[in-house]
Amino acid sequence: MSNKKLRIGKIKKSAAGLPAIVETIKQVVGEAGVTRGWKALNSMNRKDGFDCPGCAWPDPDDDRSALGEYCENGAKAIAEEATLKKLTPAFFAQHAIEDLATLSDYEIGRKGRIAQPMFLPQGASNYQPISWNEAFNKIGTALNQLSSPDEAIFYTSGRTSNEAAFLYQLFVREYGTNNLPDCSNMCHESSGVALGESLGIGKGSVKLEDFYEAEVIIILGQNPGTNHPRMLTALQKAKANGARIIAVNPLPETGLMGFSNPQQVKGLLGIDTPLTDIFLPIVINGDMALLKAIGYLLWQYEQQQPGSVFDRDFIRNHTEGYDAFINDLQQQDLDHLSQACGISVTQLTEVAELLKNKTRIIACWAMGLTQHVNAVDTIKEIVNLLLLKGSIGKPGAGTCPVRGHSNVQGDRTMGIYEKPGEQFLNNIAANFNFQPPQHHGYDVVEAIKAMHGGRASVFIAMGGNFLSATPDTNYTAAALRRCTLTVHVSTKLNRSHLVHGAEALILPCLGRSDKDIVNGEEQIVSCENSMGVIQLSKGVLEPVSNELLSEPVIVCRLAKATLGSRSKIDWDKYLQNYDHIRNDIERTIAGFTDYNKRVREPGGFYLPNCNREGSFNTTSKKAHFNIAPITTIKLEENELLMMTIRSHDQFNTTIYGLNDRYRGIYQERRVILMNRQDMDRRQLQQGDVVDIYNHHGGVERVAHKFIVVPYPIPPKCTATYFPEANVLVPVNSVAKKSNTPVSKAVVVTVKKVDA
Ligand SMILES: Nc1nc2c(c(=O)[nH]1)N[C@H]1C(S)=C(S)[C@@H](COP(=O)(O)OP(=O)(O)OC[C@H]3O[C@@H](n4cnc5c(=O)[nH]c(N)nc54)[C@H](O)[C@@H]3O)O[C@H]1N2
Ligand SMILES: Nc1nc2c(c(=O)[nH]1)N[C@H]1C(S)=C(S)[C@@H](COP(=O)(O)OP(=O)(O)OC[C@H]3O[C@@H](n4cnc5c(=O)[nH]c(N)nc54)[C@H](O)[C@@H]3O)O[C@H]1N2
Ligand SMILES: [Mo]
């Protein structure tokens, strides 16, 4: 067993600094060489360059550093894509799928870029080269043979550009289904639902500048040092302007604690800015109780000095449901809430003291909040708190769901959604002369079940790694294996290519950093970042193979091969120049006036956002207070609650390396972080090997051979890495209303086994 390799070091006190620069150079030069690597880094996140394919954190509107804006993990994302290694037909001839499947995700990713379309005939053991035409015809034939378009599933990951996403949904809807599940279903869907219902828009309200004006920034369930490193620069600037930071997390995440800005000399020398002022080591899923406790204490202060704590004008003019909400809040029991979240009344009081006279408050959150059964209610509880303080729709305040994939928000704006709104469908019908299907399609969890149950049999993915990203890996694998055809538009090889339907195709596409030349002209695409800015993205690198097609071109050719003369859409027009795609987006979706012109302006443009402008697009035009109970997850004596999280060396299912530097864990990913008490109770030592079990719904799920690592995590809480632990996440354990898999609260037991 590999625990001989595991090395446990100290948890780092601050993020980034010189080690981040060293890592950056190592990764980029190692994969892409000096010249190509430098070219890529240098144009990443410049106003005329390409959008980082990493996270969706925004670029500063004005002053960007001379050297592009990027971070260690953005550089890793680019190294992954800019690699010069490629997979030739000879590679696939040499390596049977069975053999490739024995490699780790890390090893699979290292193999290189996919360089030509590949086909797996029924019963074959190896992928074989196929021409693009033949590939499109095969998909078209398979789609046209289905007895209903609803038997096909069209997944999207969040790197897809606006242009490709718009065409993709247009094709899928003209073909006849709304089966457009996307990674958002597993990510910020809970935020979209909660914010949509409470505030009338499913997106956050803050701009980057708001950070510099905020008095308090609360960060819940998010690990920015690893997953949104450039957010640390914003937090550093916020601190310099006097902001206080409250971090709510079961783990003392390094990036929350301190930051050595590698773009400043002080930072390079390892001189840190402490970030968090108040750290609340909450128990997993304790956030609802915490937020209620804070609300309760603030209400008590408000009682003592009416009008001094709550923003009465704002509440009166812009909200509804206040009285009922307060009525419910009054009945809470502080000690009970304190127990439920694992935070002492003293610390809760410290937080309330800090907040009581502040009005400019920003709340940021990510997967630690969205991937729970009660995620939607918890996020609405954040909104409740902001509403009490009038902290929405003014400078320095508001909601900040920090998005994951670099264009996940844009894909949704473009209509990648299984539950499209009426207005959107009407616009499609009016502009494109066909009736799009009205009934809802499948989201991710529903899609898995439909394939498993034989109700869907063709699976097409625009990017992503469906098998590894989704819950209940073995169940999902069985679902994919039941398909007649699985198709992946991909840049890199991943596990989803190896667990396939009767026939399978891999269609290699250009990545963000690749030059995209159509008709002899360099094309641009565009993306929407976490704060609703639309920006252009233009690749600069020579593609590793001249057989790669761009995603927009792939969609057009797929549409032509499938719909033929029955299509009402002029796909050839889009194949001339992507400006035509943007013109049609502009005609269909609000906020894109003068798209082609404005997207070419330095820094791009903001989409309209009603909250930011101080209004609420709900039916009553008011923001809603929401009342929901706290729910405690009951654990048996031997059970633990497990969250599945990201290490510092991965982007979702792409594994860059085996280290989790900030947490001090090296050379091993199959680890389970445990509290000492929980280890002692089970007579476990550091380095012991355990099998982890989940029994949700009476089904036994096992993850074999994880190494125990003692860690400062609250009792009864544990952590493992995604995607290794996804075998344990039950497909039937989902968030209410958003149907997001509950990846952060898996009930498990552990059993010691021989190493
Ligand atoms: N380098 C890199 N960047 C990325 C990604 C990546 O994999 N690598 N992924 C991208 C994507 S798609 C996304 S969605 C984001 C994800 O960004 P994050 O949401 O930061 O990612 P996770 O690792 O899932 O971290 C969840 C955090 O929530 C905490 N947490 C877990 N459960 C709870 C809870 O019940 N309550 C509270 N308060 N905290 C909890 C965990 O300790 C952890 O710090 O990052 C994006 N950026
Ligand atoms: N247990 C657990 N499960 C989770 C999560 C968790 O926290 N815990 N997080 C969830 C979240 S937040 C998300 S967003 C999902 C992520 O789910 P996905 O988006 O499906 O997964 P990724 O790992 O981001 O996809 C990586 C693959 O995308 C392809 N790719 C990369 N760039 C491009 C491109 O430009 N174009 C195309 N066509 N393909 C490209 C490559 O082949 C690569 O292998 O996972 C979810 N799953
Ligand atoms: Mo995500």
Side-chain angles (χ1 to χ4, degrees):
M1 174 73 209
S2 49
N3 65 345
K4 294 208 182 60
K5 281 189 281 169
L6 170 68
R7 187 165 73 73
I8 299 174
K10 281 211 180 86
I11 300 173
K12 298 280 172 296
K13 290 210 173 65
S14 76
L18 193 57
I21 301 237
V22 173
E23 266 308 305
T24 303
I25 294 171
K26 218 162 69 185
Q27 293 277 342
V28 176
V29 172
E31 287 293 322
V34 177
T35 321
R36 188 175 162 89
W38 179 250
K39 191 168 179 182
L41 278 184
N42 199 25
S43 60
M44 186 147 82
N45 291 335
R46 283 174 70 134
K47 290 177 181 171
D48 55 351
F50 63 90
D51 190 41
C52 175
C55 74
W57 187 256
D59 306 306
D61 287 339
D62 40 27
D63 87 64
R64 296 197 194 165
S65 55
L67 224 188
E69 278 271 330
Y70 58 83
C71 64
E72 175 193 348
N73 279 345
K76 287 182 195 160
I78 217 52
E80 178 78 17
E81 187 172 292
T83 181
L84 283 162
K85 285 184 238 153
K86 59 179 171 183
L87 306 179
T88 57
F91 170 87
F92 286 103
Q94 273 162 18
H95 297 90
I97 291 175
E98 220 175 42
D99 301 333
L100 291 173
T102 62
L103 301 177
S104 69
D105 291 319
Y106 172 61
E107 291 164 323
I108 292 175
R110 292 274 119 172
K111 294 292 175 197
R113 288 280 293 265
I114 302 155
Q116 62 285 305
M118 300 300 301
F119 174 57
L120 182 73
Q122 181 150 15
S125 54
N126 294 60
Y127 274 100
Q128 309 167 0
I130 185 173
S131 73
W132 276 105
N133 271 339
E134 265 186 280
F136 289 128
N137 287 336
K138 272 195 193 299
I139 304 170
T141 307
L143 288 174
N144 288 325
Q145 273 170 359
L146 296 177
S147 44
S148 153
D150 289 334
E151 290 173 14
I153 283 160
F154 299 87
Y155 176 69
T156 312
S157 170
R159 270 194 198 175
T160 298
S161 64
N162 283 353
E163 290 73 5
F166 182 77
L167 294 185
Y168 188 50
Q169 63 80 33
L170 195 61
F171 156 60
V172 170
R173 296 203 158 99
E174 192 180 29
Y175 166 68
T177 181
N178 283 316
N179 284 347
L180 285 158
D182 70 344
C183 68
S184 205
N185 297 147
M186 300 179 269
C187 186
H188 267 293
E189 197 70 61
S190 306
S191 308
V193 173
L195 296 175
E197 290 183 358
S198 294
L199 300 173
I201 179 170
K203 304 179 183 183
S205 72
V206 302
K207 290 184 175 182
L208 196 49
E209 294 83 72
D210 289 315
F211 278 75
Y212 314 144
E213 295 181 45
E215 292 172 303
V216 180
I217 300 168
I218 312 176
I219 304 168
L220 306 102
Q222 192 203 345
N223 178 18
T226 285
N227 297 315
H228 306 92
R230 286 178 310 128
M231 180 172 167
L232 301 190
T233 314
L235 293 176
Q236 187 188 32
K237 206 161 157 185
K239 288 263 337 190
N241 291 351
R244 308 289 298 275
I245 296 175
I246 302 172
V248 184
N249 202 305
L251 304 178
E253 302 284 28
T254 300
L256 291 169
M257 298 306 153
F259 176 44
S260 299
N261 189 339
Q263 301 207 338
Q264 293 174 349
V265 176
K266 259 180 22 182
L268 277 179
L269 296 175
I271 298 167
D272 320 332
T273 313
L275 290 177
T276 290
D277 297 284
I278 304 181
F279 171 57
L280 305 175
I282 195 161
V283 300
I284 292 176
N285 198 228
D287 304 82
M288 185 75 167
L290 173 86
L291 290 159
K292 274 198 195 294
I294 297 171
Y296 179 86
L297 287 165
L298 289 176
W299 170 75
Q300 286 196 329
Y301 294 134
E302 172 71 11
Q303 296 282 93
Q304 289 157 17
Q305 270 189 302
S308 69
V309 179
F310 292 174
D311 185 337
R312 296 285 181 159
D313 283 344
F314 178 87
I315 293 170
R316 196 174 318 112
N317 297 328
H318 295 293
T319 72
E320 60 184 26
Y322 171 77
D323 291 337
F325 172 72
I326 291 297
N327 193 30
D328 181 75
L329 199 58
Q330 284 176 22
Q331 291 160 33
Q332 301 296 323
D333 177 89
L334 192 58
D335 289 325
H336 176 64
L337 294 173
S338 157
Q339 236 171 24
C341 64
I343 305 296
S344 68
V345 173
T346 317
Q347 252 202 321
L348 291 170
T349 310
E350 192 191 348
V351 174
E353 279 287 337
L354 171 61
L355 289 174
K356 77 176 177 193
N357 296 318
K358 304 287 193 291
T359 57
R360 298 194 306 276
I361 303 166
I362 292 176
C364 306
W365 69 92
M367 297 306 102
L369 255 59
T370 64
Q371 299 172 336
H372 285 289
V373 174
N374 59 348
V376 171
D377 280 335
T378 304
I379 295 162
K380 285 183 174 179
E381 202 66 38
I382 297 181
V383 171
N384 289 341
L385 181 66
L386 295 175
L387 292 179
L388 290 175
K389 300 295 289 173
S391 274
I392 297 184
K394 68 171 161 210
T399 53
C400 185
V402 185
R403 301 279 162 174
H405 265 301
S406 51
N407 199 40
V408 61
Q409 188 161 314
D411 290 345
R412 190 51 72 79
T413 307
M414 291 298 115
I416 301 292
Y417 191 23
E418 72 285 353
K419 302 182 191 71
E422 206 182 313
Q423 178 73 51
F424 182 83
L425 292 179
N426 289 346
N427 293 353
I428 296 271
N431 289 338
F432 297 96
N433 236 350
F434 71 90
Q435 251 331 306
Q438 306 286 314
H439 58 282
H440 291 172
Y442 299 132
D443 62 18
V444 162
V445 165
E446 291 162 347
I448 296 169
K449 290 185 185 170
M451 290 187 279
H452 202 274
R455 283 170 283 123
S457 56
V458 173
F459 174 83
I460 300 180
M462 184 56 68
N465 184 355
F466 192 82
L467 173 71
S468 299
T470 51
D472 240 338
T473 315
N474 293 327
Y475 181 92
T476 302
L480 288 168
R481 287 202 172 98
R482 272 172 210 168
C483 288
T484 51
L485 176 67
T486 48
V487 180
H488 288 90
V489 178
S490 310
T491 50
K492 301 284 295 262
L493 191 68
N494 66 46
R495 205 160 288 284
S496 296
H497 304 127
L498 309 176
V499 174
H500 48 79
E503 293 186 317
L505 282 157
I506 310 176
L507 307 180
C509 67
L510 297 173
R512 220 32 98 59
S513 55
D514 294 320
K515 242 186 223 162
D516 182 358
I517 298 177
V518 172
N519 251 343
E521 244 185 279
E522 268 185 57
Q523 303 295 315
I524 58 161
V525 292
S526 48
C527 296
E528 174 181 343
N529 68 30
S530 199
M531 291 173 188
V533 181
I534 306 288
Q535 278 177 314
L536 71 75
S537 178
K538 186 172 167 192
V540 294
L541 299 181
E542 286 309 320
V544 285
S545 143
N546 50 20
E547 288 249 26
L548 309 186
L549 293 181
S550 75
E551 290 181 351
V553 169
I554 290 174
V555 176
C556 289
R557 290 184 58 181
L558 178 57
K560 287 175 63 167
T562 307
L563 303 171
S565 59
R566 73 177 194 271
S567 181
K568 299 279 177 29
I569 294 157
D570 183 1
W571 299 99
D572 288 322
K573 176 180 77 177
Y574 303 134
L575 285 170
Q576 298 290 314
N577 188 311
Y578 299 171
D579 280 356
H580 295 299
I581 313 175
R582 283 181 286 271
N583 287 336
D584 279 354
I585 293 173
E586 178 176 336
R587 293 198 298 140
T588 312
I589 301 170
F592 287 85
T593 315
D594 278 335
Y595 194 176
N596 272 307
K597 178 165 162 276
R598 287 197 296 158
V599 79
R600 288 179 166 90
E601 282 163 10
F605 61 94
Y606 276 95
L607 285 180
N609 182 306
C610 62
N611 289 177
R612 197 174 280 163
E613 289 128 31
S615 64
F616 302 98
N617 207 7
T618 58
T619 36
S620 61
K621 302 291 170 208
K622 300 235 164 152
H624 299 297
F625 278 98
N626 183 62
I627 303 173
I630 60 160
T631 44
T632 32
I633 302 170
K634 286 204 180 57
L635 295 175
E636 301 293 329
E637 184 56 30
N638 62 338
E639 288 175 337
L640 298 164
L641 206 50
M642 179 185 81
M643 55 182 184
T644 56
I645 56 175
R646 292 156 170 80
S647 83
H648 194 62
D649 268 0
Q650 73 184 87
F651 191 95
N652 297 342
T653 69
T654 298
I655 311 301
Y656 303 133
L658 301 177
N659 298 337
D660 196 2
R661 193 172 82 236
Y662 294 158
R663 298 195 186 109
I665 297 168
Y666 299 91
Q667 291 305 318
E668 182 59 68
R669 291 183 51 86
R670 295 182 78 85
V671 291
I672 175 165
L673 277 45
M674 286 178 78
N675 178 293
R676 279 269 179 211
Q677 273 180 33
D678 293 319
M679 287 173 56
D680 291 346
R681 195 162 295 148
R682 290 166 180 76
Q683 294 174 347
L684 289 169
Q685 313 279 332
Q686 167 172 323
D688 278 352
V689 178
V690 295
D691 284 349
I692 313 173
Y693 291 82
N694 166 277
H695 290 97
H696 187 94
V699 178
E700 181 170 279
R701 299 173 186 79
V702 198
H704 291 289
K705 299 205 167 180
F706 278 60
I707 304 169
V708 175
V709 174
Y711 207 82
I713 185 170
K716 292 272 187 187
C717 297
T718 66
T720 50
Y721 296 129
F722 143 60
E724 284 80 355
N726 282 39
V727 283
L728 295 167
V729 183
V731 72
N732 282 323
S733 169
V734 290
K736 283 186 227 148
K737 287 196 171 180
S738 65
N739 218 27
T740 295
V742 178
S743 305
K744 294 288 189 273
V746 183
V747 177
V748 297
T749 52
V750 298
K751 197 162 118 195
K752 191 172 165 190
V753 293
D754 290 337

